Structure formats: structure tokens, C-alpha cells
């Protein structure tokens, strides 16, 4: 099956995804998937569209061009993301897909929400690694997709390539998620571990930025917004929460956390930024991101540096813990690939 793809956003994740598609060509062929990239849209690096699809060597050149700071399309006259999606919608195809990887705006979810709506309106399925649409507008977008018989998939939005949404959707039919808690932000976890080892806050943050682990705007990580967006996303998908990140009670880490982390460690415990959701007995939903002191026996206490973990409470399965030892770009790109495979399976014969 030929799947025509428009990439909206061509940053670190999308460029790695293009490489992964090429590396996985044989495996995808065995799954009856022939991906054809027809469009690439960026904000400042131009945009391109080609009905016939780009050859592998042209795509590799685009990856190098943008990585070096150059454009893929003309400086003026490049189609906008919305124009590009219109063109995708006019194509004759077995399936059309938008892969959305623009920058997260945690307050509004834009521009990603508009891109998702535009893609659905032209008959394209949606795959995204951007937390914005799921964290800020999940119910409406999922309903719009379902009404049009299209898929809205977002495995890469939380915990990189670890299949948490697929896990629940595909392997836990008829289970009720009653809550979850997790260490779900790598930057703050790495910083807390570094501060336990004696680094100060500024030093630890600078190292995370130099390593490309912190978000472009590090306040998203250290003020707890990234974790709040992930909590909102999971609560929306699993618990019909209909919330945004602003509805999550939130704290982050500050320079004082260095003193706290070392004091807690001296008592044999660990300081962790924990994101959680719990359905109270009266039906109300409690959503929080908070710096907590964890007992050494807590499964979240053992997570060092970039490790993440999530405990999911469900009826009737009880408590499941899924751990990610190391996250990162390649895993997020892989999540996009797994969504493409999930989409192919839904298309059937
Ligand atoms: N990096 C990770 O490991 C990771 C993990 C999980 C999830 N994510 C999420 O995945 C998304 C992409 O991350 P990234 O690291 O690839 O980001 P990035 O390197 O900053 O790339 C973002 C891309 O989006 C483009 N863009 C921004 N606004 C746009 C608009 N209005 N129209 C068209 N293109 C637009 C940018 O274009 P210009 O370059 O021209 O500005 C750039 O190509 C983010 O939402 C992030 O939160 C990332």
C-alpha cells in the first residue's frame, strides 16, 4: 500500500524519521507499506512539495541541508504548511498522512492543533510526536478523526518510543485506567541526579542544554510544564479528562532543589519530579506534577539520569510499571514509524 506523507516540521525528530524510513525499507515492505514523502514544511527553512514523491537521495540531501542550517525550498514563495496539506488532500492515494513534529506550545497547543484539523479536513490521517494536540484538544480532535474515518495517532508524544498508548489501546481491551504516576521528564530527572552528586542547579541545567536533552526553552522542563503536558495527554486519552496542561497542579525544580535532593538522599530516599493522575472516590480527577520524596523501595526511586518510568493503575489488571532506560531522538522517530504500521494495519486489505 502506497502511503503519501507530508512532514509538517522538519527538525531533529522528522529528520531522524526520514533516515529511519530508509533504514527500515525492507521491514516496511514486508508489512506491505510503501511510504512516499511528497511534502516537507518548515517555519524558516522553506517548504517543498512533489507529487511524484522525493527519491531517497534527495531526502538525504534535505536532511543534510537543514541540519547545516540551509533551506529545503525557496526563500520566498514556499508553500505554507496549510497549502501543503491542501495539495496532499488533492492527491490520488491509497492513504494520505500528515506527520506533525512542530515545536510544542504548551499553553495553546498551536500551531499543531490547526495542522491536525487541516489534515483531517483534507482526508489525511494524522501522526504526531507533538504533545500539544493530545494535551490541549484530545477529545475534539479524536472525535473529528473518528467522524471522518481517519486515524489520529501520537505514540511519540509521551516517553519517546516506549509504546504506552499502543500498550493500553491494543493490549488492555475493556480495562479501566484509574490512575497513573511516573517520572516522565528526562531533563529534571537528570538534573536531580546530578545535583545529588554535588553539581549546582545552573551547572546541571547547562549540561542538559549542551547535550540537547533540555527543551529549546528549558523553562518548559524545569517549571514542570512538559511533565504537566504529558499528564494532561495521558489523562485525556485514558481517563476522558478533557483537561489542558493548565489544569494540572504543578511545581518544578529550582536551585533550592539541590539542597533538598542531597538532604533526601542522605536519609536513604530520592527526590523525584512525579507526574500523576488519580480518580478520587467521588469521581473527581486529581492531576499533579510535584517534587516528591520517595522511599528507596518505590519503583520510581531507582531511575537514574534519563531513565523514565510510568506506573499505570487499572481494573482489573492492577498496577503495571513500564520503564524506559534511555530515551531520545531515535526512539521518538521509531514511535512515528510504529504509528505508521498501526495505521497500515487499520487500513486492512
Ligand atoms: N526531540 C525529542 O527527543 C522529542 C521527544 C518527544 C517529543 N518531541 C516533540 O517532537 C516535536 C519536534 O521536536 P524536534 O526536536 O524535532 O523539534 P525541532 O528540531 O525544533 O524542529 C521543529 C520543526 O518544526 C518546524 N516548525 C515550527 N513551526 C512551524 C510551522 N508553523 N509550520 C511549519 N513548520 C514549523 C521548524 O521549522 P524551522 O526549523 O524552520 O523553524 C522545525 O523544522 C516537538 O513537539 C517536541 O516536543 C521531541
Amino acid at each position: 500500500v502506497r502511503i503519501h506523507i507530508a512532514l509538517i516540521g522538519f527538525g531533529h525528530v522528522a529528520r531522524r524519521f526520514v533516515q529511519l524510513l530508509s533504514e527500515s525499507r525492507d521491514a516496511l515492505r514486508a508489512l506491505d507499506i510503501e511510504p512516499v514523502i511528497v511534502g516537507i514544511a518548515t517555519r524558516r527553512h522553506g517548504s517543498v512539495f512533489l507529487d511524484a514523491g522525493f527519491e531517497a537521495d534527495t531526502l538525504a540531501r534535505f536532511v543534510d541541508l537543514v541540519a547545516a542550517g540551509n533551506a529545503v525550498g525557496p526563500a520566498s514563495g514556499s508553500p505554507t504548511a496549510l497549502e501543503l496539506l491542501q495539495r496532499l488532500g488533492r492527491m490520488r492515494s491509497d492513504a494520505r498522512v500528515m506527520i506533525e513534529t512542530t515545536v510544542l506550545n504548551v499553553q495553546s497547543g498551536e500551531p499543531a492543533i490547526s495542522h491536525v484539523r487541516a489534515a483531517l479536513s483534507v482526508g489525511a490521517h494524522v501522526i504526531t510526536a507533538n504533545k500539544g494536540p493530545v494535551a490541549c484538544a484530545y477529545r475534539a480532535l479524536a472525535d473529528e478523526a473518528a467522524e471522518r474515518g481517519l486515524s489520529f495517532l501520537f505514540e511519540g508524544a509521551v516517553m519517546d518510543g516506549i509504546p504506552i498508548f499502543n500498550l493500553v489501546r491494543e493490549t488492555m481491551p475493556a480495562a479501566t485506567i484509574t490512575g497513573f504516576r511516573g517520572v516522565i521528564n528526562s531533563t529534571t530527572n537528570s538534573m536531580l541526579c546530578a545535583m545529588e552528586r554535588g553539581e549546582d542547579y545552573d551547572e546541571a541545567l547547562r549540561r542538559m542544554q549542551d547535550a540537547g536533552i533540555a527543551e529549546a526553552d528549558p523553562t518548559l522542563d524545569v517549571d514542570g510544564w512538559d511533565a504537566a503536558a504529558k499528564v494532561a495527554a495521558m489523562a485525556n486519552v485514558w481517563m476522558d479528562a478533557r483537561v489542558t496542561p493548565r489544569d494540572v497542579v504543578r511545581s518544578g525544580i529550582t536551585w533550592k532543589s539541590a539542597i533538598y535532593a542531597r538532604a533526601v538522599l542522605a536519609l536513604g530516599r530520592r527526590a523525584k519530579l512525579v507526574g500523576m493522575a488519580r480518580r478520587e472516590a467521588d469521581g473527581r480527577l486529581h492531576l499533579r506534577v510535584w517534587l516528591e520524596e520517595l522511599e528507596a523501595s518505590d519503583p520510581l526511586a531507582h531511575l537514574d539520569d534519563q531513565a523514565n518510568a510510568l506506573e499505570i493503575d487499572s481494573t482489573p489488571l492492577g498496577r503495571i510499571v513500564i520503564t524506559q532506560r534511555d530515551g531520545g531522538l531515535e526512539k521518538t522517530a521509531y514511535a512515528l514509524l510504529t504509528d505508521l504500521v498501526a495505521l497500515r494495519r487499520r487500513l486492512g486489505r
Side-chain angles (χ1 to χ4, degrees), residues 172-203:
M172 294 168 65
T176 304
I177 308 292
T178 52
F180 57 82
R181 64 191 279 274
V183 168
I184 47 180
N185 179 269
S186 304
T187 300
T188 47
N189 199 49
S190 296
M191 286 177 69
L192 285 166
C193 293
M195 293 190 296
E196 284 176 341
R197 294 191 292 265
E199 266 185 52
D200 70 22
Y201 176 88
D202 291 327
E203 222 178 322

Side-chain angles (χ1 to χ4, degrees), residues 98-146:
M98 170 185 75
I99 298 198
E100 218 284 353
T101 56
T102 63
V103 179
L104 170 68
N105 180 325
V106 80
Q107 302 290 341
S108 68
E110 292 291 0
I113 292 176
S114 298
H115 293 156
V116 173
R117 289 217 156 94
L120 295 175
S121 75
V122 301
H125 302 276
V126 170
I127 293 175
T128 181
N130 192 322
K131 290 171 272 292
V134 206
C136 300
Y138 170 70
R139 188 70 269 149
L141 298 176
D143 287 349
E144 282 179 40

Side-chain angles (χ1 to χ4, degrees), residues 9-13 42-45 101-102 104 111 129-130 156 160 332:
F10 196 56
H12 296 92
V13 172
T42 74
R43 184 177 41 184
R44 298 161 304 170
H45 293 89
T101 56
T102 63
L104 170 68
N130 192 322
D160 302 332
T332 307

